[in-house]
Amino acid sequence: MTLIPTLLVLISCTGKESDETGGETGDDAYVIPVCDPISGGICTWAGTGEAGFNGDGFDIRASMMYFPMGVTLSDLGPTVVADWNNHKIRMVEADGTFTTIMGTNFVGDGPSDLSDLTAPGADGTTVNLNHPTDQVYRSDGILVSASWHTHKIRTWDPATGLVLVFAGSGSGFAGDNGEALSTAKFNQPKDVIFDAAGNLYVVDMRNEMVRKISTDSTITTIVGNATKGFCGDDGPGRDACLAFPLNANPEPGGSIALSSDGAWLYIADTENHRIRVYDMVNDVITTLAGNGTAGFADGAAATAQFNFPREIDLLDDSTLLVADSDNHRVRRVDLATGTVSTFAGTGEAAFTGDGGPASEASFNRPFHVTHDQDGNVYVSDTFNHRVRVIYP
């Protein structure tokens, strides 16, 4: 089953886990589940499990989502979620409710007057989006969003609620020859991260590249030769082949994580079923884990198997987490020992396990994983239309 890029609004939702009621959906009040945090345990953090949008202002656990993707947790700004097939970016308020900060009820590319192309920008709730996938905070508290299906990088200012197009002018490839950010082109930018110096790294998914936007606004490709496939290990990053999704209507894929010292760039090479690592100092790319065959196997990194790893998260400088989407698991790569193990999930495509150990829980195609400063791990259980939290 693949993600279907449409907007479907559902208006009914029920639950029976507790007597605490949340937002109204039709004639019924959703019942918010109660789940006590236990070490190694898992609970639903947001979402009812039904695909749709029942409005803002409700407890996040009583709010419907539609294929949630990137979750951003940072001390630089409020927590936000990319609600992919609702075409919205939603913020978690201090009272635990959702507010839409970017996106409307329409699919599109910005506001009708194009006011997000020039300063000061457009109110975020007037900006039509088309499948946002990921976002990250800049050091000054500005949110930077991968506006995936519109081939742009947008910013949102929490102080004003205004949105600007930071980079990108439509589908294609341009920018590496000194073009201005406003005329640069990406092809479905999927993932974004900053390094300590303020340089932005972008997974340019359908261009089969990882690109860098430096603080001086220049763009360079650092990994990928624009040819989908597998090649280039033990050589320069620009000579490597990557295999991010590239078919006529692809699902999001490809992810990056950066070591704390900025020396190592980790890459979820999704359709190569590998995790690769790029030595930023010596310009050398290698395979870190995965034998390139879609499947499931824990153990030594060289023989381990993944099945469409779509997102990675560096939990600390010795542990890399992988949203192993089509294995319905979250995997763990021990960077010190070079071994792969299962962090959460049984491998069954289902929804089970809330309130118990994460090792006994079931997911349905998780597309994103991240963590907060307390070590809680958040999994976008995408086909269950939930975000779930695993307690350390």
Side-chain angles (χ1 to χ4, degrees), residues 111-125:
S112 57
D113 62 2
L114 305 181
S115 54
D116 68 341
L117 296 178
T118 55
D123 186 284
T125 58

Side-chain angles (χ1 to χ4, degrees), residues 235-282:
R238 286 293 303 269
D239 293 344
C241 305
L242 301 171
F244 299 145
L246 188 60
N247 61 352
N249 191 25
E251 295 181 333
S255 175
I256 47 180
L258 194 62
S259 64
S260 60
D261 61 5
W264 304 96
L265 183 76
Y266 300 92
I267 304 170
D269 196 352
T270 300
E271 293 192 357
N272 278 323
H273 312 289
R274 289 174 164 95
I275 309 301
R276 300 171 81 180
V277 59
Y278 175 57
D279 181 340
M280 303 266 280
V281 176
N282 297 301

Side-chain angles (χ1 to χ4, degrees), residues 229-231 233 243 269-276 287-297 300-309 327 331 340:
F230 176 71
C231 72
D233 265 8
D269 196 352
T270 300
E271 293 192 357
N272 278 323
H273 312 289
R274 289 174 164 95
I275 309 301
R276 300 171 81 180
T287 293
L288 173 70
N291 66 7
T293 301
F296 172 74
T303 57
Q305 289 181 302
F306 299 93
N307 197 352
F308 292 93
N327 276 323
R331 312 282 291 285
V340 176

Side-chain angles (χ1 to χ4, degrees), residues 68-92:
M69 296 278 177
V71 179
T72 301
L73 305 113
S74 173
D75 57 4
L76 295 171
T79 296
V80 293
V81 179
D83 195 350
W84 191 79
N85 217 36
N86 278 323
H87 312 285
K88 301 176 190 292
I89 298 176
R90 304 173 75 181
M91 177 182 72
V92 180

Side-chain angles (χ1 to χ4, degrees), residues 111-317:
S112 57
D113 62 2
L114 305 181
S115 54
D116 68 341
L117 296 178
T118 55
D123 186 284
T125 58
T126 70
V127 176
N128 302 319
L129 296 179
N130 193 338
H131 297 107
T133 49
D134 189 53
Q135 55 282 317
V136 64
Y137 280 103
R138 207 165 62 190
S139 61
D140 60 359
I142 298 296
L143 187 74
V144 177
S145 167
S147 203
W148 184 69
H149 239 154
T150 58
H151 319 289
K152 294 179 173 68
I153 309 295
R154 285 185 162 92
T155 64
W156 173 74
D157 185 344
T160 63
L162 296 179
V163 171
L164 274 170
V165 173
F166 170 69
S169 60
S171 175
F173 176 77
D176 279 27
N177 294 317
E179 297 92 337
L181 294 182
S182 60
T183 59
K185 291 183 182 292
F186 301 89
N187 198 339
Q188 293 189 273
K190 189 265 181 183
D191 210 19
V192 284
I193 60 170
F194 281 102
D195 65 17
N199 302 300
L200 181 68
Y201 298 82
V202 182
V203 170
D204 195 355
M205 189 183 89
R206 293 186 73 184
N207 279 324
E208 303 294 336
M209 295 171 172
V210 179
R211 301 172 76 186
K212 175 183 177 181
I213 304 177
S214 300
T215 54
D216 63 1
S217 297
T218 59
I219 302 177
T220 53
T221 297
I222 62 169
V223 178
N225 65 8
T227 302
K228 182 176 179 178
F230 176 71
C231 72
D233 265 8
D234 302 315
R238 286 293 303 269
D239 293 344
C241 305
L242 301 171
F244 299 145
L246 188 60
N247 61 352
N249 191 25
E251 295 181 333
S255 175
I256 47 180
L258 194 62
S259 64
S260 60
D261 61 5
W264 304 96
L265 183 76
Y266 300 92
I267 304 170
D269 196 352
T270 300
E271 293 192 357
N272 278 323
H273 312 289
R274 289 174 164 95
I275 309 301
R276 300 171 81 180
V277 59
Y278 175 57
D279 181 340
M280 303 266 280
V281 176
N282 297 301
D283 186 25
V284 176
I285 187 170
T286 55
T287 293
L288 173 70
N291 66 7
T293 301
F296 172 74
D298 282 335
T303 57
Q305 289 181 302
F306 299 93
N307 197 352
F308 292 93
R310 297 186 188 274
E311 185 74 24
I312 53 177
D313 177 58
L314 200 58
L315 186 60
D316 52 52
D317 274 345

Side-chain angles (χ1 to χ4, degrees), residues 45 57-63 91-99:
W45 175 77
F58 302 136
D59 187 292
I60 61 174
R61 296 165 296 170
S63 299
M91 177 182 72
V92 180
E93 299 278 7
D95 63 357
T97 60
F98 266 140
T99 295

